[in-house]
Amino acid sequence: MDVITHWRAGEPWAGTGERLGDVYDPATGQVARQVALASAEDVESVVAAAAEAGREWAAASLSRRTSVLFAFREVLARRRSEVAEAITAEHGKVLDDALGEVQRGLEVVEFACGAPHLLKGGFSDGVSTGVDVYSIRQPLGVVGVVSPFNFPAMVPLWFVPVAIACGNAVVLKPSEKDPSASLLLAELWAEAGLPAGVFSVLQGDKVAVDGLLTHPDVKAVSFVGSTPVARYVYETGTAHGKRVQALGGAKNHMVVLPDADLESAADAAVSAGFGSAGERCMAVSALVCVDPVADALVPLIASRMSALVTGDGRRGCDMGPLVTGAHRDKVASYVEAGVAAGASLVVDGREVVPTGEPGGFWLGPTLFDRVEPGMAVYDEEIFGPVLSVVRVATYDDALALVNANPYGNGTAIFTHDGGAARRFQREVEVGMVGINVPIPVPMAYYSFGGWKSSLFGDTHAHGTEGVHFFTRGKVVTSRWPSPDAPRPGVDLGFPQHT
Ligand code: NAD
């Protein structure tokens, strides 16, 4: 069976660790290949190679760095189908969706091509007699990126191009559930002319992550994953003196006001609830209907759901399987818990008839009505194709519900009332807000990130915040007096500019 390796010093590397993980084809339920799981020694070896390459890369001119980024953009665009196929084979999402993921990653590469503009400092001429002040931003050194299973290409691409454009060397630790896309990205970087060692892949699990979090040569870690792990990564990394941005889980609410266009709201709820089988951190999970919206909206959603085809993402369908058997069973257990807690099950995804192998990790789109806080199906992040309708009496009740939730990743409001939308945008305690847009993922030149338990750290991903995360500021004060200027002489007072 094929073993997916690490990528070290510009080439595939088997590592020294003896542990292997199984990688499934979720549409058949079979183990398709295995992945090397790094040992602590493997972390040492990969970080050492990255540190050595990083010293030269930090000194490379901005023109040299951006020429590699432009080349990477072209290579990725040309080979995007290969990356998408690798994603679908291990994650299960339908091929179109995988292509969409690559496209959103490509946009960050394009943003990073313009990083020299964002790296420009300020210059103040003559702050004092013969004295100028200016600021520069410098790379950090080796940075780690730890990514989740649900976006094997896009999430690494939120960070890697920006970090590389800023002059850092990157060690990516992808999810062990779908690791093949990371090696393809490594190949593409090599094809684009990135010097060996500037981008490395360390396959593995907690051992690899802990190695990066505690290694003295790793200066920063960008993490994306579930909230408990994000909190752990943030606390461990910062305790070891690192800069950390740790993006966590989500429970995204879509609020529908009575004046909304309910046909569009139904389309949006179905697309955002079941795209990628609900395995998106920006998926809509709670549909908050202000009375009397639910009476009309729930049947519109159910009728659209009956037309969805669940099946093998390679063969043309709307929704693929869940990523692993264990995850499928966990999501199904929430359906059981919702029924037991008294929510009304409108569409039961456990009864789905998939167009795929019987052993696949199938669970069809599921709709609950009359869900309330206190039920596990509302309180917890499910990360699967389960949409819960929560009925509330007023806009204020809807806002209070969203703001009481511990997560704050994305939210949306559907309405024709600009005043209500504007009020929501200002009052809601969530990092990314959609107005008549169900999945408000910001473009690459803005920054992506949630609030509260959806992000630990101070900076969001990509955009200007990404550039700041991957660089350190320095301010230089220089004196070049004219030859005939008098010497200032000894002065023990605190320096003042005159
Ligand atoms: P996960 O937390 O299980 O794993 C994420 C990464 O952490 C993986 O690389 C994994 O190997 C590693 N990891 C797992 N357990 C660890 C531990 N105990 N110590 C150290 N490292 C560990 O998440 P997942 O299941 O791969 O991804 C789904 C989660 O990611 C969901 O909660 C989803 O909301 C979240 N997510 C968030 C965003 C965002 O932008 N906020 C984006 C995508 C996914």
Side-chain angles (χ1 to χ4, degrees), residues 211-495:
L212 292 173
L213 289 174
T214 54
H215 198 297
D217 286 348
V218 176
K219 302 301 180 194
V221 173
S222 298
F223 170 90
V224 181
S226 57
T227 287
V229 184
R231 185 179 282 118
Y232 165 77
V233 164
Y234 182 75
E235 287 171 359
T236 311
T238 52
H240 285 83
K242 293 176 204 329
R243 195 178 276 202
V244 180
Q245 50 179 187
L247 284 68
K251 189 83 191 178
N252 304 312
H253 296 68
M254 170 174 152
V255 175
V256 187
L257 299 189
D259 67 352
D261 171 356
L262 294 192
E263 295 287 346
S264 303
D267 290 341
V270 172
S271 309
F274 306 118
S276 197
E279 293 169 327
R280 287 183 185 141
C281 64
M282 292 292 273
V284 168
S285 172
L287 187 63
V288 185
C289 295
V290 175
D291 286 341
V293 160
D295 292 338
L297 189 57
V298 169
L300 292 177
I301 291 173
S303 77
R304 284 160 172 76
M305 288 170 68
S306 65
L308 296 179
V309 177
T310 301
D312 186 330
R314 290 164 289 220
R315 292 196 218 148
C317 55
D318 299 298
M319 201 183 91
L322 294 182
V323 68
T324 58
H327 188 56
R328 185 251 166 236
D329 293 347
K330 186 175 166 207
V331 176
S333 77
Y334 281 108
V335 181
E336 276 140 43
V339 173
S344 3
L345 187 57
V346 182
V347 181
D348 186 352
R350 293 170 301 180
E351 294 168 358
V352 72
V353 182
T355 59
E357 303 287 323
F361 305 136
W362 308 115
L363 186 70
T366 298
L367 180 65
F368 274 114
D369 192 2
R370 301 186 187 279
V371 170
E372 289 173 14
M375 297 178 178
V377 71
Y378 174 79
D379 290 346
E380 290 170 33
E381 180 182 34
I382 299 175
F383 221 56
V386 180
L387 184 62
S388 297
V389 173
V390 185
R391 295 174 176 238
V392 294
T394 64
Y395 163 86
D396 286 330
D397 294 338
L399 180 73
L401 183 79
V402 182
N403 284 350
N405 198 277
Y407 296 107
N409 211 41
T411 189
I413 188 164
F414 276 68
T415 178
H416 273 150
D417 179 344
R422 187 163 185 278
R423 195 182 148 195
F424 184 74
Q425 159 207 309
R426 292 171 71 89
E427 293 176 347
V428 77
E429 291 168 15
V430 172
M432 292 169 283
V433 181
I435 296 173
N436 298 316
V437 173
I439 307 187
V441 176
M443 295 300 287
Y445 34 90
Y446 285 84
S447 297
F448 181 107
W451 287 14
K452 303 194 283 188
S453 294
S454 294
L455 190 142
F456 302 89
D458 306 314
T459 40
H460 294 188
H462 58 69
T464 48
E465 294 198 32
V467 174
H468 274 243
F469 183 78
F470 288 119
T471 52
R472 299 194 274 188
K474 190 179 265 180
V475 179
V476 181
T477 305
S478 73
R479 183 199 297 275
W480 293 110
S482 51
D484 54 350
R487 264 184 35 229
V490 175
D491 179 358
L492 301 194
F494 195 72

Side-chain angles (χ1 to χ4, degrees), residues 153-165:
M154 183 187 79
V155 166
L157 290 170
W158 278 353
F159 306 103
V160 175
V162 181
I164 286 178

